[in-house]
Amino acid sequence: MSRPSPGRFRLQAPPNLDAEHGLDLLRTMVRIRRFEERCVELYSAAKIRGFLHLYIGEEAIATGVMAAIDLDDAAVSTYREHGHAIAKGIGTDVIMAEMLGKVDGVSRGRGGSMHLFDAATRFYGGNAIVAGGIPLAVGLALADKLQGHDRVTVCFFGEGAVDEGAFHESINLASLWNLPVLFACENNHYSMGMALTRAEAQTDLALKAASYAVPAWRVDGMDVLAVEEATRKAVTAIRGGEGPVFIEYETYRFRAHSMYDPDLYRDPDEVAAWKQRDPIPALASLLTELGHLDEDGLATIEAEADAEIDVAVTFAESSPLEPLDDLERFVVSEVTP
Amino acid sequence: MSRPSPGRFRLQAPPNLDAEHGLDLLRTMVRIRRFEERCVELYSAAKIRGFLHLYIGEEAIATGVMAAIDLDDAAVSTYREHGHAIAKGIGTDVIMAEMLGKVDGVSRGRGGSMHLFDAATRFYGGNAIVAGGIPLAVGLALADKLQGHDRVTVCFFGEGAVDEGAFHESINLASLWNLPVLFACENNHYSMGMALTRAEAQTDLALKAASYAVPAWRVDGMDVLAVEEATRKAVTAIRGGEGPVFIEYETYRFRAHSMYDPDLYRDPDEVAAWKQRDPIPALASLLTELGHLDEDGLATIEAEADAEIDVAVTFAESSPLEPLDDLERFVVSEVTP
Amino acid sequence: MTATDATTRPTPETVRMTLREAHKQSLRAALDHDERVFLMGEDIGAYGGCFAVTMGLLDEYGPERIRDTPLSEIAIVGTAIGAAMNGMRPIAEIMTCNFSLLAMDQIINNAATLLHMSGGQFNVPVVIRTTAGAGRQLAAQHSHSFEPYFAHVPGIRVVSLATHADARGVLAPALEDPDPVILFEYPRLMTMEAEVPVDPDIVDLSSAAIRRPGSDVTVVTYGATQHTVLDAAEALAADGIDAEVIDLRSLRPLDDATVFASVARTHRAVVVEEAWRTVGLGAEVAARIAEEAFYDLDAPVARIGCAEVPLPYAKHLEDAAIPQVESIVAEVRRVMHRG
Amino acid sequence: MTATDATTRPTPETVRMTLREAHKQSLRAALDHDERVFLMGEDIGAYGGCFAVTMGLLDEYGPERIRDTPLSEIAIVGTAIGAAMNGMRPIAEIMTCNFSLLAMDQIINNAATLLHMSGGQFNVPVVIRTTAGAGRQLAAQHSHSFEPYFAHVPGIRVVSLATHADARGVLAPALEDPDPVILFEYPRLMTMEAEVPVDPDIVDLSSAAIRRPGSDVTVVTYGATQHTVLDAAEALAADGIDAEVIDLRSLRPLDDATVFASVARTHRAVVVEEAWRTVGLGAEVAARIAEEAFYDLDAPVARIGCAEVPLPYAKHLEDAAIPQVESIVAEVRRVMHRG
Ligand SMILES: Cc1ncc(C[n+]2csc(CCOP(=O)(O)OP(=O)(O)O)c2C)c(N)n1
Ligand SMILES: Cc1ncc(C[n+]2csc(CCOP(=O)(O)OP(=O)(O)O)c2C)c(N)n1
Ligand SMILES: [Mg+2]
Ligand SMILES: [Mg+2]
């Protein structure tokens, strides 16, 4: 199969690339990367537990997508969500506190890695049932439309979610009702150990979207600039009332599915080839070529990210645990809205 | 919308139409029609209860499909199944006994109209959950393939079932595993009161099948000869190991969804136009034109059907009820196979 | 409009209506009262509702508020949840609880869970209407009673609606509830008529209702079955046994205080439900009575449920499977003569 | 191969193995014994199984018999049912019971129902393997215990497998059963080791097992929790309370005779489970004890279940939510000093 091969290698600079914007994208990707690398350490130190699904290698998608949407647009994510959460604007401190199960965590320690939620940034979780968040995104968009809000909901899911009936029922409804949803399919070619080619009889995902009359594009998910540009176009169309769009972002996870996964099912050469396409050095060299970045600049970005994560870890470590007496809080609401 | 309009009007005789075969098809359609007309009477007389979904108008599909498959091919059906059951070869007597809830009914009175089952003719029900039988058909076909049987499974479902996630998961699996399933979609344009155009963002159902790499054809479901011919081609391909085929049989139900339905949602002109396409008179006039049938012949066929249904009703009425003590039988098997 | 809707004209104070009409009035009141309310579900619009409850509402409120959906139970419930999280007050209908099995993931893993999992940030004010029960010869796949499944789950409120007052009174409090509410309606009661006040009573749907006071034995039930139980109570009364009949009404949380208080007076209890007996609500009620009112009891708590079979089509078998006046009377008698 | 598979060499009579290995042996025996047996499920092949139970089987048996499926729970279960109706003996895996909610319609409306609905014509010899339980900080959507849901349904057999002997012994009888069998395994026990006979014991999986005989109080439990209960029993023993611990093992049908016999001796009972307490299996057991052994009881039957919350991620909250040695000990003590 040719699909899982990494494709073309170098980023193309759009003619109008603003230096500061390019650097911002780089900063976000580096922050996500560093955050997750620290999570691996904390996992080894048994401070983070449960499932930990890393986004390493896929940072260009969250970064480019969030750069293309507005602050009050909504996002719905999966269990592989640190990147989405950080790029959406949630603080790494409260995310880290969540990873450690602390009361200052975004979900007060009840969610952990897979269930980050943040009302302030309209981040609607963190869903650990494959495809379980997709109908929620349709509903969020329906509510926006009914209330006359000019807002878009971005729904992230993996290519594996396309196997689930929930995806089909949801995209049909979104299309039928012409709702402002971006179906953001992160095709990293594997769902756990299952290659897309072994899971879907037809691996051209655009055909599935087309069968619901939803326009579908395929984008290089390792190219943050391409991700941003395509997403911006889609979001403009969606906001313009043209109904949902499906974008397949082609990407690859550099690490195993989760910390439990021995990763026996992927060819090391395939992994190595994709690692050559790491979106972070790719953007860094482009910015360097364009004269927007030098070694010092990159070092500063990395150091700032490290420092931020240091602060986040300190915050998380020093955050208290939820008192045991509060275990049964939030099963039902405490206030009537 | 143009889809629900009845389309072309007259049957074309295939060059090699055998007279006896044509008459057989006519007989089967008439038997189904008369059976259901009698059911309506028995429903009004409160002898049949529960839901009663009539197939009147759609008889050409069951008749043509069953004519195209072998005796030991399997069928999976829905709650609108009398036609499928009769055409598959189950006796009208035991079906009628089932309608009356008697012990001699095909399902010993436990299933009723919606749940006819017959191991002898490989009729696997009678499923009243929309799309609920589709994965079963995939499994039946898988078992045939694994056991080296050269058999096909025909899975009937309405166009409304395409809304359900179960359909998508199932057709993907059948295609992925190259299983001998005929997806027989009876598109009568309505699922209860919901027009296909109001339920699916993309009403070209062939595109859905294509998105699973399943070949899809659309056939005039009011033309029993066309139904048979298309089905035969599909079944030949399937038996030849080419994997599943999806056929959309375009049809129309002449009656309401069920006996409970006041049928307020269809334009009477639309219903009337489709009734002009009644598959039974259509075939009868073709056979007459070809000289295979005259008025007497038709009258005989109708009289034979009536006589058969009389016998069936008598059988059913005189069949005993299951003893109350046997209520809890068949919850678990009585013999170890 | 169905025939039963055209009933006799109201006196100034009361009006006669079917339970179907009572349900519809409640929906109408909700739609009138709060513009965030909308209905979504299969065939609620053009068809008029599977049980004709929503008949006419599409014309009255238009397709934006009465939203016919495809046959997609996962998407119906999940979309309603999402809309509820984002400012709306959806009332989603799953035609019958038989099909709710397709939406269990959304109901349990999302609706019931999101508030807690988000540390209190996202409440889900969704109302899900569904129906339950046998008695119409619809056979196994259309006759389930899944109230016990939902009563098991923290984070949702479950209410069963088997009287006119409850049906009319339910939606106001249900829509005020910031959390998910699942409403059970009963198809076989839709044509049941009653003379009711023109203005709906205010009912406390978090409490159980004593449908018939009595002193000899407490019969706890819920849903459509309560009408059978009330008939049984009359039969027992003729026989000198004065049964108190309690409709749990709120299936989660359970108002066990009302049950305990009754048992403290009667010293005997029978639980009657139409769901399968094993791991049903009757088990929960019996266990709670045994736990909290053990020393009040003069006899073990008895349970009647559906026979442990998928519901058969044939009427005599179906009748034999679900609680009937005779079986209830017999069981109450057994409990009375024991201990 | 996981590290724990490489354990010490067997003595002639016994061998040390993890529970994971015990499950795998049983699958292997089934595959060897009956060529109609095949496995299907998500990531059971190339990945080696979500909990590494099927690791290596793809290489041993090939892709026709170890069938990786797409993420399609409805199709997995429905296809297995269809294959079972047509001559095969599929063992379908739903990774965890959390995802089984997506397949409830197939399990209940088809697997459990087809035999009855077809008047005895089509039995469904399918085996569904799934997992349950919390304790690994996987949070709400990955920590459910849905054994009670399946124990509610006529037409299926439900077995929980929390010991090596049961894990190794289960598949032969499960595959001989002409009707659907749902097997619960427990991820948090997978690395538990034991010294077991080289040849698996024959176990009667339709019966409950007395895991620890005792004379003062009967503690009824099932699944992974029984190991916590056994620890609690040791703690109680140190304190002079001799608890009998019963593993229900067969959750449907329930072997209540074993429970009643025990209660007749001990006169006190506590039920401990990890599922939510309300409408759980504990309710059923408590209700049955109250019904059938009422006059044997010296105190009301007590129940411990999961706190009525979606399972939280933070360890201290998760621990507080599910039964622990301390909470079990405390409850047993309470029951002992009462009545
Ligand atoms: C309904 C359901 N089935 C199975 C799982 C187990 N599971 C968790 S992640 C995953 C793979 C999903 O793959 P994909 O959608 O491609 O996302 P990715 O992990 O590659 O980002 C699976 C099978 C689950 N969480 N939910
Ligand atoms: C899962 C499920 N949802 C809803 C229903 C109620 N229902 C019964 S038949 C039907 C319409 C199905 O339409 P279609 O598939 O087109 O078949 P047709 O009745 O037209 O033959 C509906 C909605 C059901 N039985 N099962
Ligand atoms: Mg993936
Ligand atoms: Mg239809």
Side-chain angles (χ1 to χ4, degrees):
Chain A
M1 298 304 304
S2 64
R3 295 290 304 288
S5 79
R8 82 186 157 77
F9 186 63
R10 297 188 59 241
L11 269 66
Q12 303 298 318
N16 55 350
L17 178 65
D18 175 74
E20 207 39 53
H21 183 65
L23 291 170
D24 273 349
L25 295 173
L26 185 63
R27 273 185 207 107
T28 300
M29 291 200 289
V30 171
R31 288 171 61 231
I32 298 172
R33 178 74 54 95
R34 289 300 160 99
F35 179 88
E36 288 202 321
E37 285 168 349
R38 197 71 63 91
C39 286
V40 175
E41 289 169 25
L42 292 164
Y43 201 91
S44 306
K47 296 202 167 162
I48 297 175
R49 294 282 82 186
F51 284 143
L52 180 67
H53 304 90
L54 299 174
Y55 197 59
I56 292 179
E58 309 188 21
E59 296 91 342
I61 303 172
T63 305
V65 168
M66 298 307 181
I69 66 173
D70 289 350
L71 272 182
D72 68 343
D73 288 332
V76 174
S77 181
T78 68
Y79 46 85
R80 193 182 303 287
E81 66 186 315
H82 312 137
H84 306 135
I86 293 171
K88 189 75 174 81
I90 312 180
T92 46
D93 49 358
V94 288
I95 301 178
M96 193 58 91
E98 188 61 33
M99 309 293 293
L100 267 59
K102 299 300 187 70
V103 72
D104 295 312
V106 267
S107 308
R108 293 183 74 106
R110 281 166 171 77
S113 163
M114 300 198 287
H115 303 296
L116 307 175
F117 286 86
D118 186 45
T121 54
R122 303 198 70 225
F123 193 79
Y124 287 88
N127 206 303
I129 302 298
V130 171
I134 305 180
L136 301 189
V138 176
L140 293 168
L142 172 62
D144 277 336
K145 186 174 174 174
L146 290 175
Q147 294 168 107
H149 295 312
D150 194 21
R151 309 193 293 202
V152 167
T153 298
V154 179
C155 181
F156 292 97
F157 54 93
E159 88 295 340
V162 170
D163 303 352
E164 292 280 358
F167 164 74
H168 295 272
E169 295 186 6
S170 303
I171 190 170
N172 180 45
L173 200 62
S175 179
L176 193 65
W177 290 354
N178 209 46
L179 300 179
V181 184
L182 173 63
F183 290 94
C185 177
E186 301 184 313
N187 179 3
N188 61 13
H189 302 95
Y190 291 85
S191 63
M192 288 187 57
M194 196 72 173
L196 176 62
T197 48
R198 298 177 60 229
E200 282 285 332
Q202 169 55 267
T203 57
D204 184 347
L205 303 179
L207 287 180
K208 321 232 179 236
S211 79
Y212 302 100
V214 173
W217 315 333
R218 185 178 304 149
V219 176
D220 181 354
M222 305 311 261
D223 178 342
V224 66
L225 300 170
V227 167
E228 183 183 353
E229 191 189 338
T231 307
R232 206 176 285 282
K233 273 193 197 142
V235 168
T236 304
I238 295 167
R239 226 186 285 284
E242 294 178 33
V245 173
F246 178 102
I247 302 185
E248 174 188 346
Y249 302 95
E250 269 210 276
T251 185
Y252 203 80
R253 59 171 157 72
F254 291 176
R255 315 282 294 237
H257 168 71
S258 74
M259 299 301 285
Y260 285 130
D261 170 13
D263 202 352
L264 302 174
Y265 47 84
R266 300 194 299 186
D267 180 346
D269 290 346
E270 180 184 296
V271 180
W274 276 95
K275 284 190 177 166
Q276 297 296 317
R277 300 226 37 224
D278 191 325
I280 295 180
L283 179 61
S285 23
L286 179 76
L287 293 173
T288 306
E289 244 170 63
L290 294 174
H292 302 324
L293 185 73
D294 57 16
E295 265 180 41
D296 279 1
L298 183 57
T300 307
I301 287 176
E302 287 172 343
E304 281 170 359
D306 281 333
E308 175 187 342
I309 308 305
D310 285 344
V311 171
V313 173
T314 307
F315 172 83
E317 302 251 25
S318 62
S319 168
L321 296 173
E322 178 88 86
L324 271 186
D325 284 348
D326 286 352
L327 169 64
E328 299 198 10
R329 283 182 69 190
F330 314 123
V331 178
V332 296
S333 292
E334 298 185 349
V335 286
T336 311
Chain B
M1 297 307 302
S2 64
R3 294 290 303 289
S5 80
R8 80 184 160 76
F9 186 62
R10 297 188 59 240
L11 269 67
Q12 303 297 317
N16 55 350
L17 177 65
D18 176 73
E20 205 41 51
H21 182 64
L23 291 170
D24 274 348
L25 295 173
L26 185 63
R27 271 184 208 108
T28 300
M29 292 200 289
V30 171
R31 289 172 61 232
I32 297 172
R33 178 74 55 95
R34 290 300 161 100
F35 179 89
E36 288 201 322
E37 284 168 349
R38 197 70 64 91
C39 286
V40 174
E41 290 169 25
L42 291 164
Y43 200 90
S44 306
K47 296 201 168 162
I48 296 176
R49 294 283 81 186
F51 283 143
L52 179 67
H53 303 91
L54 299 174
Y55 196 58
I56 292 178
E58 309 189 22
E59 295 92 341
I61 304 172
T63 304
V65 168
M66 299 306 182
I69 66 173
D70 289 350
L71 272 182
D72 67 343
D73 290 331
V76 174
S77 182
T78 67
Y79 46 86
R80 193 181 302 287
E81 66 187 313
H82 312 137
H84 307 135
I86 294 172
K88 189 74 174 80
I90 312 180
T92 46
D93 49 356
V94 288
I95 301 178
M96 193 58 92
E98 188 61 35
M99 309 293 293
L100 268 59
K102 299 301 186 68
V103 72
D104 295 313
V106 265
S107 308
R108 295 184 73 105
R110 281 167 171 78
S113 163
M114 300 198 287
H115 304 294
L116 307 175
F117 287 86
D118 185 45
T121 55
R122 302 198 71 225
F123 194 79
Y124 288 88
N127 206 302
I129 303 296
V130 170
I134 305 181
L136 301 190
V138 176
L140 293 168
L142 172 62
D144 277 337
K145 186 173 174 176
L146 290 175
Q147 293 168 109
H149 295 312
D150 194 21
R151 308 194 293 201
V152 167
T153 298
V154 180
C155 181
F156 291 97
F157 53 93
E159 87 295 340
V162 170
D163 303 351
E164 293 279 0
F167 164 73
H168 295 272
E169 295 186 7
S170 303
I171 190 170
N172 179 46
L173 199 62
S175 179
L176 194 65
W177 289 355
N178 208 46
L179 301 179
V181 183
L182 173 63
F183 289 93
C185 178
E186 301 184 312
N187 179 3
N188 61 12
H189 303 95
Y190 291 86
S191 62
M192 289 187 57
M194 195 72 172
L196 175 62
T197 49
R198 299 177 59 229
E200 282 285 332
Q202 169 55 267
T203 56
D204 184 347
L205 303 180
L207 287 180
K208 318 225 182 245
S211 79
Y212 303 100
V214 173
W217 314 334
R218 184 178 305 149
V219 176
D220 181 355
M222 306 309 263
D223 178 342
V224 65
L225 300 170
V227 167
E228 183 184 351
E229 191 188 338
T231 306
R232 205 176 285 284
K233 273 192 199 145
V235 167
T236 304
I238 294 167
R239 225 186 287 283
E242 295 178 32
V245 173
F246 178 102
I247 302 186
E248 175 189 346
Y249 302 94
E250 269 210 275
T251 185
Y252 203 80
R253 59 171 156 72
F254 291 175
R255 315 283 294 236
H257 169 72
S258 75
M259 298 302 284
Y260 285 131
D261 171 12
D263 202 351
L264 302 174
Y265 47 84
R266 299 194 299 186
D267 181 346
D269 289 346
E270 181 185 295
V271 180
W274 276 94
K275 283 190 176 165
Q276 296 297 316
R277 301 227 38 224
D278 192 327
I280 296 179
L283 179 61
S285 24
L286 179 75
L287 293 173
T288 307
E289 245 169 62
L290 296 174
H292 302 326
L293 184 73
D294 56 18
E295 264 179 43
D296 279 1
L298 183 58
T300 308
I301 287 176
E302 287 172 344
E304 281 171 359
D306 281 334
E308 175 187 342
I309 308 305
D310 285 343
V311 170
V313 173
T314 308
F315 172 83
E317 302 251 25
S318 62
S319 168
L321 296 173
E322 178 88 85
L324 271 186
D325 282 348
D326 285 353
L327 170 64
E328 299 198 10
R329 284 182 68 189
F330 314 124
V331 178
V332 296
S333 292
E334 299 184 348
V335 286
T336 310
Chain C
M1 288 291 148
T2 56
T4 42
D5 286 334
T7 47
T8 48
R9 290 307 307 159
T11 69
E13 296 84 18
T14 68
V15 62
R16 197 168 175 75
M17 68 174 66
T18 59
L19 186 57
R20 169 182 293 128
E21 180 63 24
H23 286 304
K24 188 195 295 187
Q25 283 203 350
S26 160
L27 290 170
R28 223 187 249 125
L31 286 157
D32 290 339
H33 173 258
D34 187 341
E35 61 178 20
R36 298 171 305 172
V37 170
F38 68 94
L39 273 51
M40 62 185 288
E42 294 164 11
D43 281 307
I44 61 168
Y47 189 94
C50 184
F51 304 109
V53 168
T54 53
M55 184 82 76
L57 297 184
L58 176 61
D59 287 343
E60 284 176 57
Y61 295 94
E64 287 289 290
R65 300 190 72 195
I66 311 296
R67 306 184 75 92
D68 269 326
T69 66
L71 308 187
S72 304
E73 286 76 10
I74 299 174
I76 293 168
V77 174
T79 298
I81 294 169
M85 292 169 81
N86 192 17
M88 300 298 290
R89 287 289 178 279
I91 303 178
E93 175 177 316
I94 297 293
M95 275 188 188
T96 80
C97 70
N98 307 281
F99 320 145
S100 76
L101 294 182
L102 289 160
M104 287 291 264
D105 169 59
Q106 287 297 325
I107 296 172
I108 296 177
N109 281 323
N110 283 339
T113 304
L114 283 164
L115 177 68
H116 193 260
M117 211 159 58
S118 69
Q121 289 182 85
F122 291 111
N123 63 305
V124 183
V126 70
V127 173
I128 300 173
R129 293 174 54 235
T130 194
T131 60
R136 297 180 310 139
Q137 289 191 252
L138 298 181
Q141 293 180 334
H142 274 70
S143 303
H144 291 300
S145 293
F146 285 137
E147 295 94 330
Y149 276 175
F150 298 102
H152 179 59
V153 184
I156 52 184
R157 176 184 295 281
V158 185
V159 183
S160 69
L161 302 172
T163 70
H164 286 64
D166 289 356
R168 294 170 91 208
V170 73
L171 272 170
L175 288 165
E176 265 160 38
D177 195 317
D179 302 315
V181 178
I182 306 202
L183 302 179
F184 278 89
E185 302 172 11
Y186 297 90
R188 75 165 183 265
L189 301 182
M190 288 297 173
T191 56
M192 183 176 77
E193 293 195 12
E195 197 75 25
V196 295
V198 172
D199 291 323
D201 289 321
I202 291 171
V203 285
D204 173 11
L205 289 165
S206 66
S207 68
I210 299 182
R211 297 297 182 198
R212 181 188 193 285
S215 54
D216 294 335
V217 55
T218 301
V219 186
V220 181
T221 183
Y222 60 91
T225 310
Q226 67 190 271
H227 299 287
T228 319
V229 171
L230 286 167
D231 290 346
E234 290 316 307
L236 287 162
D239 208 37
I241 297 176
D242 186 22
E244 176 144 306
V245 178
I246 296 181
D247 170 14
L248 288 171
R249 186 159 59 182
S250 172
L251 306 183
R252 185 178 187 99
L254 279 176
D255 171 16
D256 45 20
T258 297
V259 175
F260 298 154
S262 175
V263 172
R265 281 184 278 107
T266 63
H267 309 297
R268 285 177 162 79
V270 177
V271 195
V272 185
E273 70 187 319
E274 201 174 303
W276 293 308
R277 189 183 131 109
T278 304
V279 197
L281 265 156
E284 180 64 28
V285 172
R288 288 201 193 180
I289 294 175
E291 275 158 10
E292 302 293 331
F294 186 69
Y295 303 101
D296 290 330
L297 285 174
D298 284 345
V301 180
R303 290 182 290 158
I304 306 181
C306 183
E308 304 266 311
V309 295
L311 266 293
Y313 163 71
K315 182 163 171 41
H316 68 300
L317 296 177
E318 186 186 44
D319 283 349
I322 59 179
Q324 303 292 345
V325 169
E326 303 70 40
S327 52
I328 299 166
V329 165
E331 189 65 11
V332 171
R333 281 226 183 84
R334 199 182 60 77
V335 168
M336 290 304 298
H337 301 135
R338 176 164 154 185
Chain D
M1 288 290 150
T2 56
T4 42
D5 286 335
T7 46
T8 48
R9 289 308 306 159
T11 69
E13 298 85 17
T14 69
V15 61
R16 197 168 176 76
M17 68 173 66
T18 60
L19 186 57
R20 168 181 294 129
E21 180 64 25
H23 286 304
K24 187 194 296 187
Q25 282 202 350
S26 160
L27 290 170
R28 222 186 251 124
L31 287 156
D32 290 340
H33 172 259
D34 187 341
E35 61 179 20
R36 297 171 306 172
V37 170
F38 68 94
L39 274 51
M40 62 185 288
E42 294 165 10
D43 282 306
I44 61 168
Y47 189 94
C50 185
F51 305 108
V53 168
T54 53
M55 184 82 76
L57 297 184
L58 176 61
D59 287 344
E60 284 175 57
Y61 296 94
E64 287 289 291
R65 301 191 71 196
I66 311 296
R67 306 184 76 92
D68 269 326
T69 66
L71 307 187
S72 305
E73 285 77 9
I74 299 175
I76 292 167
V77 175
T79 299
I81 294 170
M85 293 168 81
N86 192 16
M88 300 298 290
R89 287 289 178 277
I91 302 178
E93 175 177 315
I94 297 293
M95 275 188 187
T96 79
C97 71
N98 308 280
F99 320 145
S100 77
L101 294 182
L102 290 160
M104 287 292 264
D105 168 58
Q106 287 296 325
I107 297 171
I108 297 176
N109 281 323
N110 282 339
T113 305
L114 284 164
L115 178 67
H116 192 259
M117 210 159 60
S118 68
Q121 289 180 85
F122 290 111
N123 62 303
V124 183
V126 69
V127 173
I128 299 174
R129 293 175 53 235
T130 193
T131 61
R136 297 179 311 138
Q137 288 191 253
L138 299 182
Q141 294 180 333
H142 274 69
S143 303
H144 291 300
S145 293
F146 285 137
E147 294 94 331
Y149 276 176
F150 299 101
H152 179 58
V153 183
I156 51 184
R157 176 184 294 281
V158 185
V159 183
S160 69
L161 301 171
T163 69
H164 287 65
D166 289 355
R168 294 170 92 206
V170 74
L171 273 170
L175 289 165
E176 265 159 38
D177 194 317
D179 301 315
V181 178
I182 305 201
L183 301 179
F184 278 89
E185 302 172 10
Y186 297 89
R188 75 166 182 265
L189 301 183
M190 287 296 172
T191 56
M192 184 176 76
E193 293 195 13
E195 197 76 25
V196 295
V198 171
D199 291 322
D201 288 320
I202 291 170
V203 285
D204 173 11
L205 289 166
S206 65
S207 68
I210 299 181
R211 297 297 183 199
R212 181 189 192 285
S215 53
D216 293 334
V217 54
T218 301
V219 186
V220 181
T221 183
Y222 60 90
T225 309
Q226 67 190 269
H227 299 286
T228 319
V229 170
L230 286 167
D231 290 346
E234 289 317 306
L236 287 161
D239 209 36
I241 298 177
D242 187 22
E244 177 145 305
V245 177
I246 297 182
D247 170 14
L248 289 171
R249 188 159 57 183
S250 172
L251 306 182
R252 186 180 186 96
L254 279 176
D255 171 16
D256 45 21
T258 297
V259 175
F260 299 153
S262 174
V263 173
R265 281 184 276 107
T266 63
H267 309 296
R268 286 177 162 81
V270 177
V271 195
V272 185
E273 69 187 319
E274 201 175 303
W276 293 308
R277 190 183 129 109
T278 304
V279 197
L281 265 156
E284 180 63 28
V285 172
R288 289 200 193 181
I289 293 175
E291 275 158 10
E292 302 293 332
F294 187 69
Y295 303 99
D296 290 330
L297 285 174
D298 283 344
V301 180
R303 289 182 291 158
I304 306 181
C306 183
E308 304 267 311
V309 295
L311 267 292
Y313 163 71
K315 182 162 172 41
H316 67 301
L317 296 176
E318 186 186 43
D319 282 350
I322 58 179
Q324 303 292 346
V325 169
E326 303 70 40
S327 52
I328 298 165
V329 165
E331 190 65 10
V332 171
R333 281 227 183 84
R334 197 182 61 76
V335 168
M336 291 304 297
H337 300 136
R338 175 166 156 184

